[in-house]
Amino acid sequence: MDSTTPAAVTVRMIALLHTYRRERGLPVLVSLEVPENGTRAIDIARDLGLPIERIEGLFLNGRLLGLGAMVMPGDRVAFVPQGTPASHPAFFGRAGIEEYAVSA
């Protein structure tokens, strides 16, 4: 497989983002094709039409990161909106969000 051959990732939306998608008649669990060399999480969020300004970060394979994180084939992604208790620094800290922060 070359670096442009797409492969699937599983993407979930939780809390406010779940409601946002559901109210628009869109699925809240999506399987997307990404290139073998990956794509940034913010690009996936944009492709899904999510409100970027409302996203705190994402769980990428269980690790809380910022939208600049690279998503690779086979990854599990869950976008987390601002104010979600699970994204509170007391639970997971802010290091991953800050390390992979991007300007929307």
Side-chain angles (χ1 to χ4, degrees):
M1 200 182 296
D2 68 44
S3 65
T4 60
T5 302
V9 298
T10 301
V11 181
R12 295 178 188 275
M13 279 57 70
I14 58 177
L16 167 83
L17 300 172
H18 180 278
T19 303
Y20 180 88
R21 295 271 300 177
R22 192 184 62 217
E23 286 176 346
R24 286 157 179 76
L26 301 169
V28 296
L29 175 63
V30 179
S31 180
L32 291 177
E33 298 292 317
V34 298
E36 186 177 309
N37 59 349
T39 191
R40 292 184 319 154
I42 193 168
D43 297 325
I44 292 173
R46 285 183 179 134
D47 289 347
L48 291 173
L50 296 175
I52 303 299
E53 70 282 357
R54 302 295 304 270
I55 299 175
E56 177 85 19
L58 68 143
F59 283 107
L60 179 60
N61 300 320
R63 185 172 169 215
L64 186 59
L65 301 175
L67 290 175
M70 288 298 289
V71 176
M72 305 301 288
D75 283 347
R76 295 178 332 267
V77 175
F79 286 105
V80 180
Q82 295 171 341
T84 302
S87 67
H88 190 277
F91 292 103
F92 292 96
R94 303 252 342 139
I97 289 177
E98 292 166 2
E99 179 181 354
Y100 293 94
V102 296
S103 298

